[in-house]
């Protein structure tokens, strides 16, 4: 019997791997996307749209989308509107608390310029306009299915 | 019953913006002693010195328990809340300042941005102020449609508030039903009026109308939703577990009203009403719904019964709609004449008042009195003495939006 290291090395270089290493990175959030929503100073329209996403009509849990109460449990940080001056450090702190890998989605409804542009890391999407619950839902499902690649 | 709506600086002189019955206007600040609410409106009330055993449990601005970004400074020894101070400046967008030097149509768009759930009420109050300033009289159909849409806004707002309350009380099936109905009404608004929150419908002197046939279809579908709500509501009243959680929680008294001057369902739950719909000619025979108790349960009952009342009002107003539309002659003078006016509308959580000063068609000064400004103070008063478990029931029962208060 050959020495174990030589035996192992011979097996490693002589046999093919049973499983191929995937060439494309896998989406770590498939069927399990935890979302933390932060109101950065919006009028409550987007907050109410997110609230109506909890309607049984959308059934977001079926897609593995869950809303969490802390950024430490979240995969996706949704920022509603450009942050006001006072909310800017709060948003940055929330981003700091996000565990890797994470993504950020900025949603702004049709409104006057009231916020400050900050360089958001890991930005997976930027939605603007009079958004409704259905459009936000489609975006979240797209991210949950594979749009968020880290 | 009189209310202090705000302390305003006009031409360098401090004046009190008050409402009392049919009177809405300004009085000299020498009468400030008649209004206990003057102290907090001027910012004269400072945080009390806290005792050694109390610590500040600072909740917010971005905490999972809260709907909006706001800070609750709760002074407690661990179980009961001894003092509460709410800081809603994180949502300040300075909309009153942004309105200055804008023309009335741009300012109308800004008024709708204050709080989406009250956007039609804000738009209505502002446009009424401008119409009074320029002597514009909208046609009957415009007045009727405005009243109808104010009631529609009231219905979906109250359903939202009750769903938040029931969610806090762990009535998950009831909550999910209500969220479904809330979303259905928003979808109806989008289908018939082009906006889920009734934005961009109202304008100065007129309103984007729809045909009477379509309006009939809308009223019928809304009626089906309200009937569904009524069944669910009656069923929820059989759950003593749910009622017990709301009973005797967040109690307010008439003394609180005298020192804070809130209105809306929070005042109606104490047995009094300052509903401005009583003065609407088109709503003849209108009677406010009041309830004794002053607690979260009373506020919930008032809102639920107002939903049914609003549906009846919509049906009555729909009968008065005319098929032909007399277009109003809208003239906005672009001269250099100074004009001032006050406009108001009854939003779901209380009356909204706009005081505007115009130079030609540009806004020179605007003061907005929103119901949430007062409800936040009412929240602070009602939380004192409560345990932390009752925090959510108390906060959600008021139906206040911090975006509305922070403007």
């Amino acid at each position: 019997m050959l020495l174990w290291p030589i035996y192992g090395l011979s097996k490693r270089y002589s046999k093919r791997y049973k499983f191929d290493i995937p060439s494309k990175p896998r989406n770590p959030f498939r069927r399990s996307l935890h979302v933390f929503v932060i109101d950065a100073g919006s009028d409550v329209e987007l907050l109410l749209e997110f609230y109506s996403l909890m309607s049984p009509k959308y059934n977001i849990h079926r897609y593995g989308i869950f809303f969490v109460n802390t950024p430490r449990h979240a995969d996706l940080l949704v920022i509603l509107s450009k942050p006001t001056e006072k909310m800017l450090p709060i948003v940055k702190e929330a981003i700091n608390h996000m565990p890797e890998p994470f993504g950020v989605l900025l949603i702004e409804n049709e409104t006057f310029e009231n916020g400050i542009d900050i360089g958001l890391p890991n930005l997976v999407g930027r939605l603007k306009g009079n958004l409704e619950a259905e459009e936000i839902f489609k975006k979240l499902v797209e991210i949950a299915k594979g749009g968020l690649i880290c | 019953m009189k209310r202090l709506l705000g302390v305003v600086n006009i031409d360098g002189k401090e004046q009190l913006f008050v409402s009392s019955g049919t009177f809405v206007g300004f009085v000299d600040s020498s009468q400030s002693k008649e209004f206990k609410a003057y102290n907090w409106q001027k910012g004269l009330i400072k945080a009390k010195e806290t005792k050694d055993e109390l610590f500040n449990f600072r909740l917010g601005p971005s905490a999972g328990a809260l709907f909006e970004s706001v800070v609750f400074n709760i002074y407690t020894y661990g179980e009961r809340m001894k003092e509460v101070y709410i800081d809603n400046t994180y949502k300040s967008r300075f909309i009153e300042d942004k309105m200055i030097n804008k023309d009335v149509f741009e300012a109308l768009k800004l008024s709708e941005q204050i709080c989406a759930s009250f956007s039609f009420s804000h738009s209505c109050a502002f446009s009424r102020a401008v119409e009074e300033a320029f002597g514009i009289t909208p046609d009957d159909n415009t007045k009727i449609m405005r009243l109808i849409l104010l009631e529609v806004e009231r219905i979906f707002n109250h359903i939202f508030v009750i769903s938040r309350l029931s969610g806090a009380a762990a009535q998950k099936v009831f909550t999910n039903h209500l969220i479904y109905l809330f979303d259905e009404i928003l979808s109806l608004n989008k289908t018939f009026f082009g906006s889920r929150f009734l934005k961009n419908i109202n304008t100065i002197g007129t309103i984007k109308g729809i045909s009477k046939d379509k309006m009939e279809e809308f009223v019928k579908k809304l009626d089906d939703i309200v009937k569904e709500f009524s069944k669910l509501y009656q069923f929820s009243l059989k759950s003593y577990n749910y009622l017990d959680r709301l009973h005797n929680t967040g109690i307010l008294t008439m003394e609180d009203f005298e020192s804070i001057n809130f209105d809306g369902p929070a005042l109606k739950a104490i047995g009094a009403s300052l509903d401005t719909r009583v003065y609407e000619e088109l709503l003849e025979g209108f009677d406010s719904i009041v309830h004794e108790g002053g607690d979260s349960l009373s506020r919930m009952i008032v809102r639920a019964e107002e939903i049914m009342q609003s549906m009846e009002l919509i049906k009555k107003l729909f009968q008065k709609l005319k098929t032909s539309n007399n277009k109003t002659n809208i003239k906005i003078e672009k001269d250099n004449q100074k004009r001032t006016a006050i406009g108001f509308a009854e939003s779901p959580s209380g009356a909204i008042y706009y005081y505007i000063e115009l130079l030609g068609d540009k806004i020179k000064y605007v003061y907005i009195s929103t119901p949430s400004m007062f409800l936040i103070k009412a929240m602070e008063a009602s939380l004192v003495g409560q345990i932390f478990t009752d925090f959510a029931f108390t906060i959600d029962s008021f139906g206040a939006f911090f975006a509305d208060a922070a403007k």
Side-chain angles (χ1 to χ4, degrees):
Chain A
M1 189 70 181
L2 290 171
L3 288 171
W4 281 113
I6 298 168
Y7 177 76
L9 283 170
S10 67
K11 289 288 181 193
R12 190 183 190 280
Y13 289 111
S14 61
K15 283 195 174 173
R16 279 185 190 171
Y17 285 102
K18 271 190 178 176
F19 303 104
D20 287 332
I21 298 168
S23 55
K24 289 179 188 175
R26 291 173 65 190
N27 177 21
F29 306 120
R30 195 172 55 176
R31 293 198 216 133
S32 174
L33 183 72
H34 289 71
V35 181
F36 178 70
V37 178
I38 186 166
D39 168 28
S42 66
D43 69 346
V44 292
E45 182 172 359
L46 289 169
L47 273 169
L48 290 171
E49 296 291 1
F50 266 91
Y51 186 74
S52 51
L53 276 180
M54 291 196 270
S55 165
K57 180 172 119 181
Y58 298 104
N59 198 3
I60 54 172
H61 293 174
R62 182 164 58 102
Y63 294 95
I65 300 170
F66 301 92
F67 290 110
V68 293
N69 287 333
T70 166
R72 291 194 177 209
H73 297 167
D75 306 312
L76 178 72
L77 177 71
V78 178
I79 303 174
L80 301 181
S81 94
K82 278 187 192 172
T84 57
E85 205 168 321
K86 250 186 145 174
M87 279 302 291
L88 192 56
I90 311 298
V91 169
K92 286 181 176 173
E93 188 67 20
I95 292 171
N96 285 340
H97 281 298
M98 297 280 291
E100 290 279 358
F102 72 92
V104 176
L105 176 66
L106 176 63
I107 304 182
E108 304 166 73
N109 67 345
E110 199 182 81
T111 181
F112 47 90
E113 290 297 314
N114 68 331
I116 302 152
D117 226 337
I118 53 170
L120 292 167
N122 296 11
L123 195 64
V124 296
R126 190 167 187 155
L127 305 175
K128 196 166 183 177
N130 269 335
L131 292 165
E132 296 168 12
E134 202 153 328
E135 290 160 32
I136 298 171
F137 171 66
K138 282 178 185 168
K139 184 68 184 175
L140 288 176
V141 168
E142 181 196 316
I143 291 171
K145 279 188 174 175
L148 177 61
I149 305 294
C150 300
Chain B
M1 281 165 64
K2 49 191 178 185
R3 285 181 68 208
L4 178 62
L5 303 173
V7 181
V8 180
N9 216 318
I10 299 174
D11 296 330
K13 199 180 166 191
E14 188 180 275
Q15 301 229 13
L16 307 180
F17 188 20
V18 301
S19 77
S20 177
T22 50
F23 171 75
V24 181
F26 293 94
V27 298
D28 194 57
S29 62
S30 56
Q31 297 188 42
S32 61
K33 286 177 188 172
E34 292 183 32
F35 298 95
K36 289 181 188 173
Y38 177 80
N39 289 332
W40 74 259
Q41 295 234 19
K42 273 291 278 184
L44 296 173
I45 293 182
K46 290 175 189 172
K48 293 176 202 169
E49 280 179 23
T50 53
K51 296 173 189 170
D52 286 335
E53 62 264 25
L54 295 180
F55 67 93
N56 180 7
F57 178 70
R58 193 172 179 271
L59 181 65
S62 180
L66 304 172
F67 190 62
E68 293 181 79
S69 295
V70 65
V71 172
F72 284 83
N73 293 297
I74 303 170
Y75 289 88
T76 177
Y77 56 78
E79 185 62 35
R80 290 198 182 271
M81 294 179 271
K82 291 293 187 182
E83 282 164 40
V84 180
Y85 300 103
I86 299 175
D87 176 12
N88 65 331
T89 53
Y90 289 80
K91 301 239 19 182
S92 296
R93 290 147 297 147
F94 308 105
I95 291 177
E96 284 166 323
D97 296 340
K98 287 184 195 302
M99 280 184 171
I100 290 170
N101 291 327
K102 296 268 191 309
D103 72 52
V104 293
F105 295 99
E106 286 172 333
L108 182 71
K109 296 266 177 247
L110 284 171
S111 71
E112 289 181 344
Q113 312 284 354
I114 293 175
C115 182
S117 54
F118 300 158
S119 64
F120 192 79
S121 305
H122 273 280
S123 158
C124 221
F126 180 78
S127 55
R128 283 173 177 173
V130 173
E131 284 156 12
E132 195 194 308
F134 288 98
I136 298 169
T137 310
D139 59 21
D140 286 343
N141 264 13
T142 300
K143 289 182 192 172
I144 293 169
M145 276 303 297
R146 279 181 182 169
L147 289 172
I148 288 176
L149 292 177
L150 279 171
E151 298 307 317
V152 171
E153 190 177 72
R154 198 177 319 280
I155 289 174
F156 73 70
N157 251 288
H158 286 349
I159 289 180
F160 167 74
V161 171
I162 297 173
S163 76
R164 290 282 296 171
L165 259 180
S166 61
Q171 307 294 305
K172 290 192 175 177
V173 174
F174 185 40
T175 305
N176 280 317
H177 270 287
L178 291 176
I179 296 174
Y180 173 75
L181 293 179
F182 173 67
D183 189 56
E184 282 296 292
I185 296 179
L186 296 184
S187 301
L188 261 188
N189 291 344
K190 172 74 182 181
T191 308
F192 287 88
F193 300 106
S195 168
R196 282 164 69 89
F197 292 96
L198 306 175
K199 286 185 175 182
N200 302 321
I201 297 172
N202 187 39
T203 185
I204 313 292
T206 186
I207 192 167
K208 200 195 290 181
I210 58 174
S211 66
K212 202 168 176 186
D213 295 334
K214 276 205 157 183
M215 198 61 208
E216 191 176 359
E217 197 185 331
F218 172 77
V219 171
K220 188 180 173 305
K221 288 188 176 185
L222 188 64
D223 192 34
D224 291 339
I225 293 174
V226 171
K227 279 177 184 162
E228 182 68 31
F229 168 78
S230 176
K231 280 185 218 168
L232 289 168
Y233 170 64
Q234 293 303 327
F235 196 72
S236 75
L237 291 178
K238 294 176 188 173
S239 169
Y240 294 115
N241 173 305
Y242 172 48
L243 300 179
D244 196 50
R245 288 177 189 195
L246 302 179
H247 182 52
N248 279 345
T249 306
I251 297 174
L252 288 172
T253 61
M254 278 309 287
E255 281 174 12
D256 292 316
F257 165 73
E258 279 160 24
S259 56
I260 300 169
N261 285 174
F262 52 85
D263 71 339
L267 179 61
K268 290 173 191 171
I270 310 176
S273 173
L274 289 171
D275 200 320
T276 56
R277 289 179 288 171
V278 166
Y279 309 116
E280 289 284 350
E281 290 167 359
L282 289 161
L283 295 175
E284 71 265 354
F286 173 80
D287 205 14
S288 298
I289 289 169
V290 292
H291 202 266
E292 304 289 335
D295 54 9
S296 298
L297 179 62
S298 300
R299 290 189 281 274
M300 192 273 290
I301 290 171
V302 164
R303 284 181 185 267
E305 292 183 7
E306 277 197 348
I307 290 172
M308 273 73 89
Q309 184 191 46
S310 291
M311 196 62 235
E312 294 306 314
L313 289 173
I314 289 172
K315 286 179 195 170
K316 278 186 194 167
L317 287 165
F318 170 71
Q319 300 303 325
K320 295 179 184 176
L321 263 179
K322 293 169 194 167
T323 45
S324 63
N325 210 2
N326 300 325
K327 297 226 171 194
T328 308
N329 201 7
I330 304 160
K331 266 189 183 175
I332 305 290
E333 306 286 345
K334 293 187 182 180
D335 51 18
N336 281 332
Q337 197 180 340
K338 190 182 171 185
R339 296 177 179 88
T340 61
I342 295 170
F344 59 88
E346 187 71 24
S347 81
S349 289
I352 295 174
Y353 291 88
Y354 272 74
Y355 167 68
I356 55 171
E357 286 179 11
L358 296 155
L359 194 63
D361 69 332
K362 302 279 185 210
I363 303 284
K364 195 180 151 229
Y365 177 76
V366 63
Y367 178 77
I368 310 168
S369 173
T370 66
S372 301
M373 286 162 46
F374 302 89
L375 290 174
I376 282 175
K377 288 291 163 195
M379 263 188 223
E380 289 178 0
S382 65
L383 280 171
V384 171
Q386 303 284 315
I387 56 174
F388 277 95
T389 323
D390 295 332
F391 179 82
F393 310 133
T394 309
I395 297 299
D396 292 330
S397 68
F398 284 95
F401 289 92
F402 297 101
D404 189 45
K407 295 179 275 187

